[in-house]
Amino acid sequence: MIPRRLLAPAPGWTVETDVVVIGSGIAGLVTALAVAGRPSRVGAPRPSDPRVVLVTKALLDAGSTRWAQGGIAAALAPGDSPDDHLADTLTAGVGLCDVEAVRTLVTEGPDAVRRLIDIGTAFDRDAGGDLALTREGGHHRRRIAHAGGDATGAEISRALLAARKEAGIEVIEHALVLDLLLAPSGEAAGVTLHVMGEGRRDGVGAVRAQAVVLATGGLGQVFSATTNPDVSTGDGVALALRAGAEVTDLEFVQFHPTVLYLGEGAQGQQPLISEAVRGEGAHLIDASGERFMLGRHELAELAPRDVVAKGIMSRMQETGASHVYLDGRHLGAHTWERRFPTILAKCRDHGIDPITQPIPVVPAAHYASGGVRTDAYGRTSVPGLYACGEVACTGVHGANRLASNSLLEGLVFGERIATAITAEATAPQPITAPTHQPPTTTAPAATGSGESGSEDSGDVARRSVTSPLVAGGGDVARGSAITPEVVGGVPGAGGGGDADRGAAITSVATGGVPGAEGSGDIARRSVTSPTVGGGVTGVPGGDDVARRSAITPEIAGGDSGAEGRGDVGRGSGVSPGSAGGVSGAKGGGDLARGSVSVVGTGRPGGGVEGSLVVQEGGLLEAGVRGDVQRVMTAYAGVLRSAEGLDVAARELARLGERRCAEPCVEAWEATNLHTVASAIVAAARMRRETRGSHWREDHPGADEAWLGHLVTRWADGGRLATGYEPLHRAEAESAERGEAVGTSGSDRAAEVTKSDEASEERS
């Protein structure tokens, strides 16, 4: 069971601000600085400046950013271009990238990196004073800026923290965010958090704000071994799910191919061997010395991460070995000492000298390509809640993140969130963009067309992109990473409505099944609808009807006269006051399922405290954490199968019954990890194909029917509702055809040989 809120004491202190940013990595720091008008303006804060509070779980520099070794990718070299960067990103994303989001990333990225330099970030330079750029997996050109050899994240963090100090942005350290505070209107109104330790603020408190930005980082601690720090327990994704926000693409957890092998059963944060080591020429070999990546991909060791991780796991299966080796002996002592001093020292700490020995390596959990679903300005499906960085799913990574795009994403979209927050504060009336034409789905078509009033209308999730424009920006802020109209469901499933719900995933309700016949599970969404009914008049047998609006002020539980069995209002992620029943509605079922805030419905634990919605909370035992990690590592790691994922789902369901009545940090983190693990397994079970970082041994090939996104929401009764949304065919073709904006992969590989050789001579 997934709790609606975490069990926690009532807040004992309160802070008032305009914007609260949760997280102090690159995404959080850039957002906070940009909202505060820095670093474009110097001097003391002005009374007119937005008040910003930055909350961090540990110390300011303890997040994932400081651990980033390789660098930050941007088309900064004379022979490079945003189009080339876009093509490489789309190739790595295996058809699921949002092309326009990627275009935003690669076109705004170079200037964003230059602004980092302007605030004092000291990237490495070559002998001529130009940026020393390297190459990593999936990149056809040298476009990775790095600092301190292999300490890029630490240098970026240092520069941003110095800017934060100069800007005077208030910080709350050692604070675990608990839950989103919601106004009766359904908008985010702040967060509750627990400050660890004693001081002016300790214990559970509240930060009230008009805008909340999640920049909480990753979820790697859901697995036993990960490159992520101990604080990466999926707090932001879990909070967003409990708040009713949509999360998407969680099945795509990237496993970094080259993590230092510390022996069987190694747990916790593992030392990363940067992809840049392979970029400088190191080779992957097995115990016999064979370079097994040759012939598997045109780029060999520099193939995208999912390809390399699969290559390593395949060779381990073929040979029965527990690891492979990264051989960089030929790089020489000078290169190791100059380019990779941190990695060199870490390897030597563990008894390995890369100058004279191959490094034993194995894949380990590294990065979540999915997360809280956002538009191009970081808006989630809950008004006033934004997400940025690894916690977010902007659409730029698709099924597999391209190396060194993560720091760039936090940088670019952090600035865009600040633009949106500022624009919405000064111009609250939205501007409506033209509505796009409905797309054609690529998944197997349902019997019904999905049109309103049709008798076979099953499993439609229609979304309009009439989103507001950000003032001065000119870009349309999409209502989601997927545009205009998508039809939900799971390919290949027969039957429709509630009959299939729970069949695809044990204890998890699916949002609908593509190819299903019959009615049911219609979730229509428009971002400009002022009032939307939970049921549609005249749809016979229309189970689970919920029209949704991203800015809807009122969502009813069902329309008068609507027939059909019920479950009305499911997934209304911003419902401020979903009705408990509607006069004349037949077969009301479970009303307002998945609503963010429910006021006056008679639900146990419901109520209003200080104009903020509060609900009864739940909590799991602290010991659940280790069991979740064991289950996920055994059954939902690099290699997945239906049998293993079924076991994982059963085990997680069992762990969800281990309740705890004593709130503490360990129990809160364990509950968050269980929530995130349940969502990952739900999506991984549903996606019956191999794509990107999701590898199904029982479905080893990619399937065009699965060219779409899995979207998960909290559902009433402590369930997760997961539904499939296929891409518009034109979007899918663009996302898969990287060469449409550049040259083909093999041509680009040939093109860059000469320029790379020149770069190597300069560096």
Side-chain angles (χ1 to χ4, degrees):
M1 179 176 178
I2 308 301
R4 197 71 173 93
R5 295 180 64 82
L6 292 175
L7 180 65
W13 51 270
T14 301
V15 173
E16 302 280 348
T17 189
D18 296 317
V19 180
V20 58
V21 179
I22 316 297
S24 59
I26 187 171
L29 288 169
V30 167
T31 302
L33 287 166
V35 169
R38 310 305 178 91
S40 59
R41 184 177 56 74
V42 297
R46 300 176 302 196
S48 60
D49 291 337
R51 297 169 299 166
V52 182
V53 170
L54 184 70
V55 175
T56 186
K57 190 172 180 179
L59 295 172
L60 276 172
D61 65 348
S64 294
T65 292
R66 69 180 288 252
W67 297 101
Q69 297 172 343
I72 186 167
L76 297 162
D80 201 0
S81 72
D83 277 354
D84 286 339
H85 190 182
L86 185 147
D88 286 344
T89 301
L90 296 183
T91 298
V94 202
L96 290 188
C97 294
D98 182 312
V99 178
E100 290 310 309
V102 177
R103 196 180 307 280
T104 294
L105 179 79
V106 300
T107 55
E108 297 183 11
D111 282 343
V113 173
R114 294 183 184 102
R115 286 190 288 275
L116 264 186
I117 296 172
D118 289 342
I119 67 169
T121 305
F123 288 108
D124 295 337
R125 303 276 175 167
D126 61 22
D130 296 325
L131 287 175
L133 303 175
T134 192
R135 187 176 163 201
E136 294 184 359
H139 293 272
H140 283 80
R141 296 188 182 276
R142 287 180 170 263
R143 64 169 65 98
I144 316 300
H146 50 84
D150 57 357
T152 309
E155 171 57 18
I156 290 174
S157 182
R158 180 205 62 76
L160 290 171
L161 288 173
R164 193 284 313 168
K165 185 176 182 180
E166 182 181 350
I169 294 172
E170 182 179 359
V171 174
I172 302 177
E173 292 185 306
H174 302 290
L176 170 63
V177 66
L178 300 178
D179 277 303
L180 190 68
L181 293 173
L182 291 155
S185 61
E187 297 178 347
V191 292
T192 56
L193 62 162
H194 173 81
V195 176
M196 297 163 270
E198 298 181 359
R200 183 165 60 96
R201 303 185 186 114
D202 57 16
V204 175
V207 178
R208 297 196 185 202
Q210 298 172 25
V212 176
V213 182
L214 295 178
T216 51
L219 46 78
Q221 288 293 325
V222 79
F223 296 94
S224 296
T226 177
T227 62
N228 291 187
D230 289 343
V231 295
S232 298
T233 51
D235 306 324
V237 170
L239 175 150
L241 277 169
R242 290 192 298 270
E246 297 174 349
V247 302
T248 189
D249 294 348
L250 284 185
E251 68 272 31
F252 298 116
V253 177
Q254 186 177 82
F255 285 73
H256 197 287
T258 53
V259 174
L260 183 62
Y261 176 71
L262 298 181
E264 294 285 355
Q267 296 183 352
Q269 186 177 10
Q270 308 293 298
L272 177 68
I273 309 300
S274 172
E275 201 145 12
V277 177
R278 282 175 280 138
E280 294 295 335
H283 304 145
L284 284 166
I285 60 173
D286 60 18
S288 69
E290 181 184 350
R291 284 184 64 187
F292 57 86
M293 284 304 299
L294 293 175
R296 291 180 183 262
H297 191 277
E298 61 168 349
L299 296 177
E301 287 90 354
L302 285 177
R305 286 178 179 172
D306 64 312
V307 175
V308 179
K310 290 170 188 172
I312 291 173
M313 294 301 296
S314 294
R315 181 48 57 102
M316 288 167 56
Q317 286 182 323
E318 293 164 6
T319 62
S322 59
H323 58 280
V324 297
Y325 296 91
L326 183 63
D327 190 0
R329 291 173 292 180
H330 56 284
L331 300 182
H334 176 69
T335 296
W336 276 105
E337 292 165 358
R338 177 179 60 89
R339 276 289 283 117
F340 307 113
T342 307
I343 296 172
L344 180 63
K346 181 62 68 174
C347 287
R348 285 174 170 171
D349 286 345
H350 289 278
I352 303 294
D353 188 346
I355 296 173
T356 60
Q357 299 171 271
I359 306 168
V361 294
V362 69
H366 181 59
Y367 191 89
S369 294
V372 184
R373 193 184 211 180
T374 75
D375 67 9
Y377 287 88
R379 300 182 186 93
T380 73
S381 55
V382 176
L385 178 65
Y386 301 78
C388 187
E390 188 173 356
V391 70
C393 185
T394 60
V396 301
H397 303 312
N400 178 62
R401 175 173 70 82
L402 182 66
S404 288
N405 269 357
S406 56
L407 291 177
L408 188 68
E409 181 191 30
L411 182 60
V412 168
F413 287 90
E415 292 182 346
R416 291 175 73 84
I417 286 174
T419 299
I421 289 174
T422 303
E424 287 163 9
T426 57
Q429 296 302 317
I431 302 171
T432 301
T435 303
H436 294 268
Q437 293 298 313
T440 303
T441 68
T442 58
T447 301
S449 66
E451 296 298 326
S452 175
S454 67
E455 296 192 5
D456 288 315
S457 56
D459 310 320
V460 179
R462 188 158 298 168
R463 310 183 66 178
S464 167
V465 291
T466 51
S467 302
L469 294 172
V470 173
D475 289 334
V476 177
R478 297 181 310 285
S480 77
I482 307 172
T483 42
E485 177 179 65
V486 286
V487 178
V490 180
D498 286 339
D500 287 303
R501 189 165 304 106
I505 300 179
T506 305
S507 300
V508 179
T510 68
V513 184
E517 298 182 5
S519 61
D521 309 328
I522 299 175
R524 246 173 231 178
R525 185 178 185 206
S526 165
V527 296
T528 55
S529 173
T531 305
V532 186
V536 183
T537 303
V539 184
D543 296 344
D544 313 322
V545 180
R547 290 195 181 176
R548 307 177 61 224
S549 168
I551 55 172
T552 177
E554 179 178 318
I555 299 180
D559 283 355
S560 175
E563 297 185 6
R565 216 169 31 73
D567 300 335
V568 179
R570 174 168 309 159
S572 54
V574 294
S575 171
S578 300
V582 180
S583 175
K586 298 182 181 180
D590 297 328
L591 300 177
R593 181 166 296 174
S595 61
V596 171
S597 53
V598 181
V599 182
T601 62
R603 284 185 173 222
V608 179
E609 183 177 278
S611 79
L612 297 174
V613 176
V614 294
Q615 291 177 319
E616 186 177 0
L619 198 63
L620 300 182
E621 296 174 0
V624 165
R625 176 175 183 153
D627 289 330
V628 166
Q629 293 172 332
R630 172 186 57 79
V631 169
M632 294 297 289
T633 300
Y635 304 113
V638 181
L639 304 178
R640 299 167 176 174
S641 68
E643 181 180 3
L645 291 168
D646 287 347
V647 173
R650 289 194 298 269
E651 288 288 300
L652 290 172
R654 181 181 59 81
L655 292 174
E657 300 305 317
R658 287 171 52 181
R659 310 293 174 77
C660 174
E662 297 295 329
C664 64
V665 171
E666 294 78 12
W668 287 321
E669 288 186 331
T671 306
N672 286 339
L673 285 170
H674 179 267
T675 297
V676 172
S678 299
I680 292 171
V681 169
R685 292 180 78 196
M686 189 178 290
R687 182 174 289 278
R688 295 188 293 273
E689 67 160 352
T690 290
R691 183 180 298 275
S693 52
H694 173 64
W695 186 2
R696 285 284 296 263
E697 292 182 284
D698 51 340
H699 295 281
D703 184 346
E704 186 178 344
W706 283 102
L707 202 56
H709 301 278
L710 293 175
V711 182
T712 301
R713 309 172 185 88
W714 190 92
D716 206 28
R719 298 174 297 140
L720 295 176
T722 299
Y724 175 77
E725 295 184 356
L727 294 182
H728 185 301
R729 182 171 296 277
E731 277 189 289
E733 290 173 353
S734 295
E736 286 195 315
R737 195 176 57 244
E739 64 270 22
V741 292
T743 56
S744 69
S746 57
D747 289 344
R748 281 183 282 125
E751 278 181 14
V752 301
T753 302
K754 191 171 293 185
S755 62
D756 274 355
E757 289 173 353
S759 298
E760 288 168 1
E761 290 176 2
R762 289 196 302 271
S763 59

